[in-house]
Amino acid sequence: MRRITICFVALTALASIGGPASALASGAPSQPHSYRTVIRLSGDEYSDAQGNVLSNQRRGKCPPPPSAAVPSGCWTWAANRLGHGTYTVGQPNLQGTQLVWTFSLTDTRGDSLTGNLTEHFSPDPSPSDALTHANRYPATYTFTAGTGRFAGVTGVLTAATTTTTVDVAPATGAAHTKFTSTSTGTLTFPSKL
């Protein structure tokens, strides 16, 4: 009788903490999760009369509000479920009729989504220093890696990108250009975000 009581107590204790089946389930690998994703990019760029970019912050963190004589550009991103932060790109490579860049979307915690950006160019026939001059870039973002909560990300998003000249300084010819992009597609993560 003592042996039966001890077995019953042991089984009752296992059942109250989830038993062997729940212990196995909690150690099971998580399943990949795919999310329909829309990422919005925006930014400002400034260039001189010859088209040379001034103080391009596209390759670094956004500066505080401009207090210097030369304004600084800055690119940011936002997406539901993913958050928001700074958008940066590497040097482009020309491959046929398209530009290929590396990119990084870093959120406010320091976690990053990285990959390759392929852009095609549809030039506006108006002069580049004309107000409302707009260039359009159909683009593809291929996500290949991530850090922190974005580790293991994969996926492809297609984008419609536009750069529009919104202001030209009459004295210097320096142009202020707005950058906007909306990319949509599916991103897959090793586990639920």
Side-chain angles (χ1 to χ4, degrees):
M1 181 68 144
R2 189 176 233 175
R3 185 175 277 173
I4 293 173
T5 303
I6 292 173
C7 285
F8 180 76
V9 171
L11 289 172
T12 304
L14 281 174
S16 68
I17 60 170
S22 72
L24 290 175
S26 66
S30 59
Q31 297 295 315
H33 288 271
S34 295
Y35 301 98
R36 183 81 176 140
T37 305
V38 177
I39 298 177
R40 288 177 175 68
L41 301 165
S42 62
D44 295 280
E45 185 174 88
Y46 300 88
S47 56
D48 64 18
Q50 290 73 41
N52 300 311
V53 177
L54 304 171
S55 299
N56 185 2
Q57 294 300 315
R58 195 171 184 178
R59 293 182 180 87
K61 290 187 177 181
C62 291
S67 59
V70 177
S72 294
C74 178
W75 286 260
T76 59
W77 67 276
N80 289 344
R81 189 179 286 111
L82 301 178
H84 60 92
T86 304
Y87 169 60
T88 59
V89 294
Q91 285 295 105
N93 293 316
L94 183 60
Q95 296 181 4
T97 60
Q98 57 194 18
L99 287 174
V100 178
W101 315 67
T102 58
F103 73 86
S104 180
L105 303 172
T106 304
D107 72 6
T108 55
R109 296 185 235 180
D111 297 339
S112 294
L113 296 154
T114 57
N116 297 308
L117 163 63
T118 304
E119 282 184 331
H120 304 277
F121 178 58
S122 301
D124 183 330
S126 67
S128 62
D129 61 350
L131 289 180
T132 71
H133 174 84
N135 289 317
R136 288 171 180 74
Y137 305 88
T140 303
Y141 289 85
T142 303
F143 290 76
T144 58
T147 63
R149 68 190 184 106
F150 301 137
V153 65
T154 58
V156 175
L157 276 61
T158 56
T161 300
T162 303
T163 58
T164 306
T165 303
V166 294
D167 185 42
V168 178
T172 63
H176 173 197
T177 302
K178 287 276 188 192
F179 166 89
T180 59
S181 177
T182 301
S183 54
T184 58
T186 301
L187 295 181
T188 301
F189 297 86
S191 60
K192 191 173 182 180
L193 288 178

